[in-house]
Amino acid sequence: MSLAPTPAKINSLDPRLANQIAAGEVVERPASVVKEVLENALDAGATRVDIDIDSAGTKMIRIRDNGSGITPEDLPLALARHATSKIGSLEDLEQVRSLGFRGEALASIGAVSRLSLTSNSNPESSEGRVAISEGRDMAAQVKPASHPRGTTVEVRDLFYNTPARRKFLRTEKTEFKHLEEVVKRLALSRFDVDFTLRHNQKVIHQLRSGQSQSEMQRRVATVCGPAFMEQAIYTETGTPELKLWGWVGLPTFSRSQGDLQYFFVNGRVIRDKLVAHAVKQAYRDVLYHGRHPAFVLYLELDPALVDVNVHPTKHEVRFRDGRAVHNFLFSSLHRALADVRPGVETLPEGTLDTAEGDRINTLTGEVAPVELTQGGLSWGGGQQHAVYDRPAAGAGAAQMQSYGSLHPPPRIEMPEQGAEEDIPPLGYALAQLKGIYILSENAQGLILVDMHAAHERITYERLKSAAAQEGIRSQPLLVPQSVAVSQREVEIATEYTDVFHKLGMDVAEGGEELLLIREIPVNLRDSDVEQLLRDVLSDLIEYGSSDRISAHMDEILSTMACHGSVRANRRLTIPEMNALLRDMEETERSGQCNHGRPTWTALSIEELDKLFLRGR
Ligand code: ADP
Ligand code: MG
């Protein structure tokens, strides 16, 4: 006997329940409320927002703005689902400039809290209206209320009517961290807006607006910490159609987590796999294994070339031409990082003239207090000391490789004392310490160089450029290596045959689900080429590009460089040390060794004076 299933009865959801379900997507925790309400304030053209929070937002969130306000007629509509002033047609959606457009935030928040929306759109009056929506009855009642032009949204007792949700909330500390992170991101996206964040009546952040370089720098330093600013370089590249600007942390300022990574696409903060991959690839050669770079970057492009309607909270985007964006990001950042070497001016015009706060003074050439940390003197960000504003001295090729070998030392003349502007960025060697460090004097003070680390980078960069000049030599395999793959992978491999050829690999179709490796680069002889091929294919499928083969070859060169470099405990003569210093000034990426450790640091006279409590 078989039981035929009875069809379930279909009901239309009542609007309150529908909103509560939608709220599940939009309102995960207090931080989500803050995000939506703040975005509305910014969309309304506010230049100032005040955020008041009680108990990490579970008791109360109040956000007041001085934006355009909402007219009395529209007030009840603002709380209704799928009601928005931001788009009216599908065409609008193709080039959204506003942060919101789905018209569901206020309705969703109102469905899971006690929400009041007070607004006034008339700059000449202080007469506003308040609409109150309580999860239970959505029908908002509207009453007069005094309010200057702008809007205040107050959200109390979040999730009071959805206990299941409330159970998912973490400790007050954690919830507040999330909420603060939202404020930070939005503050980084809009330097022209004042932000104040108060928690339990205490001011946590007060960020004043300002769009000059130094004002923006001040905000980034406040939000990301002064240490980031001290060890970041400013970069700006591209065209008005595709532009990238912002701050990238030096490889020596890496993190154990990817928690200091802010990426904005047309002012919207996003987390995107393609972007993450391009950035990672750009740092590949300079970052310590397993470390994460820190950055605050802004990508600007025609809004029609990005789809922001991929995700309800709009954290992800889709680029129309992902491959072009990937290439642009990678090459811009790669270039910026290659210039991290002594003597290269990495800061933009205008950063040098204004002193902002204590620590940022490092950027102005004045010196922040030297920190005594557990490990002794902290790495003080000497690499970006903007005082190195001249082209590096033209030592170089002639002295190549002479240190660390038995060749006669090159002759470097010490210039007449006194001509300060003739002193090269890394100065002139004074002595060698413990067979490890070179001590050198430049115009500002003392320079310390880790000679093995520095030499390793120089040798590595040379091996790389030699390899690039020579081209990749490949060798055919006597017996082609067959690799079982998916049909999709066979397709991709055939599509990218040329790319493989350029990298010295010959990969051919061997069957519906089979590839044949027929030729490989000579120096990958001892590598696991099958694994390499698989990784490259998965990159190509995901990002349309892969740098694994060259990364792997670079790794081999890097190992060779490490073995071929001056070892610790080898005594160098003063001319040998000077030759090394001059080479560092000439070599790309010489600010850090192949493993991402710094190769040198500086202690200015002012810093030394502070150490000895020597007032000036
Ligand atoms: P969306 O932002 O997607 O349009 P919301 O539910 O967040 O949807 O807001 C609905 C509408 O309410 C907005 O389109 C806007 O017209 C109005 N609104 C909300 N907050 C504000 C504010 N702070 N200032 C002015 N108008 C607002
Ligand atoms: Mg909104």
Side-chain angles (χ1 to χ4, degrees):
M1 201 174 78
S2 73
L3 270 177
T6 35
K9 173 109 184 59
I10 301 177
N11 296 309
S12 276
L13 290 177
D14 91 80
R16 181 173 70 102
L17 186 54
N19 281 330
Q20 284 176 339
I21 292 171
E25 270 189 322
V26 184
V27 193
E28 189 192 341
R29 52 178 13 136
S32 350
V33 173
V34 172
K35 172 182 180 290
E36 295 297 336
V37 177
L38 267 185
E39 287 188 348
N40 282 344
L42 297 176
D43 280 346
T47 56
R48 175 177 170 184
V49 289
D50 285 275
I51 308 148
D52 276 288
I53 305 294
D54 272 357
S55 307
T58 51
K59 279 226 177 82
M60 194 224 37
I61 295 169
R62 188 193 307 120
I63 300 183
R64 168 188 276 239
D65 69 59
N66 65 352
S68 63
I70 307 170
T71 61
E73 309 83 80
D74 276 358
L75 207 55
L77 265 183
L79 296 177
R81 185 130 171 261
H82 297 154
T84 178
S85 57
K86 297 168 194 173
I87 56 168
S89 68
L90 205 56
E91 289 78 61
D92 290 350
L93 189 54
E94 294 194 347
Q95 24 201 323
V96 208
R97 288 218 172 252
S98 57
L99 295 166
F101 53 79
R102 297 168 67 109
E104 54 189 12
L106 289 182
S108 303
I109 298 166
V112 292
S113 70
R114 302 181 215 272
L115 179 145
S116 81
L117 174 65
T118 315
S119 196
N120 170 12
S121 59
N122 181 357
E124 255 89 67
S125 126
S126 59
E127 271 295 300
R129 293 277 197 290
V130 57
I132 295 163
S133 134
E134 257 190 45
R136 193 164 287 276
D137 55 319
M138 286 300 296
Q141 28 165 324
V142 179
K143 289 184 291 195
S146 90
H147 197 284
R149 192 183 81 141
T151 303
T152 298
V153 174
E154 193 176 284
V155 175
R156 288 187 176 271
D157 306 326
L158 184 63
F159 300 140
Y160 78 99
N161 54 357
T162 48
R165 267 281 149 164
R166 206 168 48 217
K167 281 203 201 104
F168 279 99
L169 293 179
R170 314 302 276 278
T171 61
E172 179 167 326
K173 197 168 156 225
T174 306
E175 290 303 332
F176 188 73
K177 274 273 157 258
H178 283 286
L179 190 157
E180 189 186 4
E181 188 59 32
V182 164
V183 176
K184 284 178 171 184
R185 283 184 204 151
L186 285 163
L188 286 177
S189 78
R190 293 291 300 273
F191 292 99
D192 56 334
V193 176
D194 285 325
F195 287 82
T196 307
L197 172 63
R198 281 187 218 91
H199 189 205
N200 301 332
Q201 270 124 57
K202 212 175 112 221
V203 175
I204 307 294
H205 287 294
Q206 179 127 43
L207 302 164
R208 261 168 292 135
S209 60
Q211 286 175 288
S212 73
Q213 190 71 34
S214 62
E215 286 165 323
M216 293 200 291
Q217 215 126 265
R218 179 180 57 195
R219 179 169 291 192
V220 177
T222 311
V223 170
C224 302
F228 169 71
M229 244 315 147
E230 283 165 18
Q231 297 199 46
I233 49 174
Y234 179 81
T235 179
E236 191 176 328
T237 38
T239 58
E241 288 76 48
L242 186 60
K243 185 174 160 188
L244 181 74
W245 61 279
W247 295 267
V248 286
L250 292 174
T252 42
F253 181 78
S254 62
R255 320 258 305 165
S256 60
Q257 288 178 309
D259 59 347
L260 226 167
Q261 305 187 334
Y262 296 97
F263 198 92
F264 301 86
V265 176
N266 292 341
R268 188 189 296 278
V269 70
I270 59 136
R271 293 217 162 246
D272 184 85
K273 272 209 307 206
L274 181 122
V275 168
H277 184 261
V279 174
K280 192 168 158 226
Q281 195 167 313
Y283 272 90
R284 194 248 301 153
D285 215 9
V286 288
L287 207 61
Y288 210 75
H289 234 28
R291 301 288 294 177
H292 300 266
F295 52 83
V296 178
L297 285 169
Y298 302 83
L299 181 72
E300 287 166 15
L301 76 171
D302 181 349
L305 301 178
V306 224
D307 184 0
V308 289
N309 189 26
V310 191
H311 194 268
T313 57
K314 311 173 208 84
H315 276 317
E316 286 162 38
V317 292
R318 203 177 291 131
F319 295 104
R320 190 158 294 172
D321 189 350
R323 205 178 297 178
V325 171
H326 186 284
N327 277 344
F328 172 69
L329 284 177
F330 166 73
S331 53
S332 310
L333 294 175
H334 186 70
R335 188 69 252 147
L337 292 168
D339 281 340
V340 178
R341 57 180 153 134
V344 172
E345 170 63 86
T346 44
L347 294 171
E349 289 288 317
T351 40
L352 308 179
D353 48 12
T354 5
E356 299 284 353
D358 258 8
R359 305 296 307 277
I360 312 175
N361 282 357
T362 318
L363 293 167
T364 67
E366 279 189 36
V367 177
V370 176
E371 270 175 274
L372 280 169
T373 55
Q374 285 160 324
L377 275 179
S378 73
W379 155 242
Q383 296 188 21
Q384 60 179 358
H385 271 284
V387 283
Y388 299 136
D389 52 3
R390 298 170 296 106
Q399 287 114 29
M400 281 219 279
Q401 308 274 296
S402 45
Y403 40 80
S405 68
L406 295 173
H407 293 204
R411 254 170 269 287
I412 292 192
E413 304 288 322
M414 287 290 278
E416 300 284 310
Q417 210 55 59
E420 280 224 337
E421 61 277 14
D422 292 338
I423 302 177
L426 292 182
Y428 294 107
L430 301 169
Q432 195 178 5
L433 183 70
K434 300 273 184 210
I436 301 171
Y437 299 107
I438 296 172
L439 308 187
S440 163
E441 177 180 346
N442 72 356
Q444 287 70 39
L446 179 69
I447 299 283
L448 288 155
V449 172
D450 177 335
M451 68 182 207
H452 173 69
H455 191 212
E456 191 180 303
R457 169 59 72 174
I458 293 169
T459 316
Y460 175 42
E461 291 296 328
R462 270 192 201 126
L463 287 174
K464 276 198 298 185
S465 48
Q469 266 170 17
E470 228 175 70
I472 294 164
R473 281 190 300 134
S474 32
Q475 73 179 45
L477 297 179
L478 284 179
V479 183
Q481 189 170 342
S482 47
V483 184
V485 292
S486 68
Q487 283 187 13
R488 176 90 185 97
E489 285 168 320
V490 173
E491 272 167 35
I492 281 281
T494 355
E495 185 186 333
Y496 285 87
T497 323
D498 288 352
V499 175
F500 280 109
H501 272 162
K502 280 205 195 94
L503 293 164
M505 288 252 264
D506 182 47
V507 181
E509 185 174 343
E512 231 173 67
E513 295 187 332
L514 192 69
L515 286 172
L516 295 175
I517 306 177
R518 297 193 298 206
E519 206 170 293
I520 60 165
V522 175
N523 51 7
L524 291 191
R525 224 171 3 222
D526 302 320
S527 311
D528 184 348
V529 281
E530 175 178 339
Q531 191 52 48
L532 202 55
L533 175 65
R534 288 185 190 287
D535 291 345
V536 170
L537 288 173
S538 88
D539 279 355
L540 289 176
I541 290 171
E542 190 126 24
Y543 314 108
S545 88
S546 174
D547 74 332
R548 282 187 202 260
I549 297 181
S550 45
H552 196 74
M553 291 203 223
D554 282 353
E555 247 168 63
I556 293 169
L557 294 183
S558 168
T559 314
M560 283 163 61
C562 184
H563 294 305
S565 298
V566 258
R567 295 267 131 208
N569 284 321
R570 198 189 159 282
R571 288 275 147 202
L572 296 186
T573 63
I574 294 280
E576 281 175 323
M577 292 185 229
N578 279 324
L580 180 61
L581 297 178
R582 299 298 79 79
D583 276 351
M584 284 175 72
E585 288 155 0
E586 298 277 296
T587 303
E588 290 188 330
R589 290 172 277 271
S590 68
Q592 59 281 312
C593 77
N594 304 354
H595 313 288
R597 290 189 297 268
T599 52
W600 66 284
T601 189
L603 270 176
S604 68
I605 284 293
E606 289 84 352
E607 284 168 306
L608 290 166
D609 285 348
K610 281 216 177 92
L611 273 180
F612 293 99
L613 308 175
R614 196 184 226 273
R616 285 219 145 188

